Amino acid sequence: MPVALITGITGQDGSYLAEFLLGCGYQVIGMVRRSSTVTFERIKHIQDEITIVQGDLHDQSSLVDLMETYHPDEVYNLAAQSFVPTSFSQPVLTGEVTALGVTRILEAIRLANPQARFYQASTSEIFGKVREVPQCETTPFYPRSPYGVAKVYGHLITVNYRESHDLYAVSGILFNHESPRRGLEFVTRKITHAVARIKHGLAKEIHLGNLDARRDWGYAGDYVRAMWMMLQQEQPSDFVVGTGVTHSVRDFCDLAFSYAGLDYHDFLVQDERFFRPAEVDLLVANSSKAQQQLKWQPEVNFEGLIEMMVDADMRMVEKEIE
Ligand code: NAP
Ligand code: GDD
């Protein structure tokens, strides 16, 4: 039975990846950090099928211990401070976790488990103020936030360990991917959750920032498949993963409200607090390398994603008011 270690298993992607790997017959080890309350909301339905162990990307020895104890065949580093606005208010913490945390886990692999295959959760945020449209593996980086800068470091240190220490290490450059399990502060979930609350009379308005930003939004369940596929190749290599279709925040809002029979103009308040010091205006992926080499294709489109998220938030709100 192959063994996979997932950091960030309590996050959106960690939960989908754990489900996917269990379905493929893996023993799944999930690293969680210590907290004063339980953070297993997204994995409670599979909690009995996975091994949960404590560790933290701040703490080198906890990572070495994990490698020595479990000798995972595959390591998926999904843990990060992943929210862009928080990276402006907590840039040092973001650098510690999202940048240096990658070196700590690579060092743990190099010292204690060098045969492991390593996946780093890289991101389209590294393209930031984009130098070309659409963006592919060779597009130059121009990050626009401390988060983006930290992820550039994580991306390049992964390439460096591959080239210097002969590790099987890859960076998956994933564009935005969402789901009903997306954190409530990210714009897609913020919108679909607000739609459900407004529809049920629990809220009257939604406050948003820049409506003109464009993103290439896909479904998280599709993207975790691509992570696994990257680690099954003969040679390690980096891949861009996205749908190739871009939409504005305004488009997302329009469709989500319309799907619930509402007009977003009646509820939207533009709010300075949600604008960023520097914005990423346009992201759209050229995933042809992933399509050709991995044979990866997304299965859920933009409209399908919005419907899935609104439906799930409607059910959630209905349960709350029952
Ligand atoms: P998420 O929901 O924010 O999950 C982040 C995970 O990291 C959580 O499990 C969190 O644990 C954990 N974590 C944070 N700090 C940690 C630390 N110091 N030590 C150990 N664990 C820590 O993020 P996601 O959307 O699933 O994304 C997964 C990864 O892909 C992230 O690295 C993100 O930056 C990257 N990414 C995401 C997207 C996207 O669109 N979703 C696109 C490209 C790249 P707690 O539950 O305890 O907070
Ligand atoms: N969060 C948020 N809240 N974003 C808003 C709001 C708001 O009220 N109003 C407008 N936006 C705009 C942001 O300015 C941004 O341009 C866009 O909506 C998307 O914001 P987020 O959903 O917070 O995601 P992100 O694109 O900044 O980052 C996500 O995707 C990256 C991949 O490109 C995160 O998941 C990152 O971890 C990931 O790397």
Side-chain angles (χ1 to χ4, degrees):
M1 197 186 223
V3 179
L5 170 71
I6 304 175
T7 74
I9 195 162
T10 55
Q12 171 188 258
D13 290 7
S15 67
Y16 283 104
L17 180 64
E19 277 172 11
F20 175 80
L21 293 175
L22 286 172
C24 295
Y26 281 73
Q27 181 191 353
V28 175
I29 315 293
M31 188 186 91
V32 301
R33 56 181 170 161
R34 194 264 157 189
S35 70
S36 66
T37 52
V38 177
T39 54
F40 297 172
E41 184 62 28
R42 296 184 177 105
I43 51 169
K44 58 176 190 281
H45 59 295
I46 48 171
Q47 216 175 309
D48 296 340
E49 298 169 69
I50 59 188
T51 307
I52 292 176
V53 291
Q54 280 201 5
D56 198 303
L57 285 191
H58 289 281
D59 187 78
Q60 182 72 67
S61 64
S62 67
L63 304 173
V64 174
D65 273 359
L66 282 179
M67 297 303 158
E68 284 175 344
T69 308
Y70 295 100
H71 287 285
D73 302 289
E74 296 174 9
V75 177
Y76 296 87
N77 183 39
L78 309 187
Q81 190 305 95
S82 75
F83 191 46
V84 171
T86 298
S87 78
F88 285 103
S89 57
Q90 299 182 15
V92 176
L93 175 129
T94 302
E96 280 290 345
V97 180
T98 305
L100 276 182
V102 187
T103 309
R104 292 192 191 100
I105 195 152
L106 282 164
E107 272 295 279
I109 291 174
R110 185 180 71 80
L111 295 168
N113 192 28
Q115 88 297 336
R117 293 188 168 204
F118 176 75
Y119 174 87
Q120 165 58 15
S122 193
T123 165
S124 46
E125 278 287 304
I126 63 179
F127 300 128
K129 189 170 180 175
V130 296
R131 306 286 90 187
E132 65 181 347
V133 180
Q135 296 85 48
C136 67
E137 291 78 7
T138 54
T139 301
F141 304 154
Y142 196 143
R144 294 278 277 170
S145 64
Y147 169 79
V149 173
K151 282 287 186 182
V152 169
Y153 176 92
H155 182 100
L156 291 175
I157 200 73
T158 301
V159 174
N160 181 260
Y161 269 60
R162 175 168 80 218
E163 294 175 354
S164 311
H165 303 298
D166 204 24
L167 297 186
Y168 189 114
V170 309
S171 279
I173 309 172
L174 272 49
F175 283 60
N176 297 53
H177 44 279
E178 319 294 313
S179 74
R181 296 184 202 163
R182 185 59 140 151
L184 283 167
E185 70 273 48
F186 296 93
V187 77
T188 55
R189 185 76 198 289
K190 184 173 171 180
I191 294 169
T192 61
H193 189 238
V195 164
R197 286 175 57 78
I198 290 169
K199 187 75 185 175
H200 287 88
L202 298 181
K204 289 194 166 55
E205 52 193 29
I206 177 169
H207 289 237
L208 292 174
N210 179 12
L211 301 176
D212 297 319
R214 299 184 74 85
R215 292 288 184 277
D216 179 334
W217 278 296
Y219 170 52
D222 285 338
Y223 288 48
V224 300
R225 265 191 290 118
M227 296 176 186
W228 174 79
M229 286 167 162
M230 284 180 217
L231 295 196
Q232 313 313 310
Q233 303 304 299
E234 213 164 292
Q235 295 300 326
S237 182
D238 306 324
F239 291 90
V240 157
V241 174
T243 67
V245 180
T246 188
H247 287 280
S248 65
V249 173
R250 191 186 305 280
D251 295 339
F252 193 104
C253 226
D254 189 6
L255 254 79
F257 277 84
S258 308
Y259 180 61
L262 302 170
D263 181 343
Y264 80 94
H265 295 99
D266 298 337
F267 309 100
L268 178 72
V269 179
Q270 274 212 287
D271 190 329
E272 282 300 321
R273 285 177 304 156
F274 297 108
F275 283 82
R276 296 176 180 181
E279 179 61 285
V280 171
D281 295 317
L282 165 67
L283 293 175
V284 58
N286 172 355
S287 304
S288 43
K289 182 178 170 191
Q291 284 166 15
Q292 281 158 25
Q293 287 189 34
L294 305 179
K295 309 284 178 233
W296 178 84
Q297 286 286 351
E299 285 170 11
V300 178
N301 66 13
F302 184 64
E303 291 75 14
L305 175 67
I306 291 175
E307 291 175 14
M308 180 200 301
M309 291 177 70
V310 172
D311 285 343
D313 276 323
M314 290 285 191
R315 283 195 299 275
M316 197 180 93
V317 169
E318 279 155 20
K319 261 199 196 150
E320 273 168 26
I321 58 181
E322 253 171 30

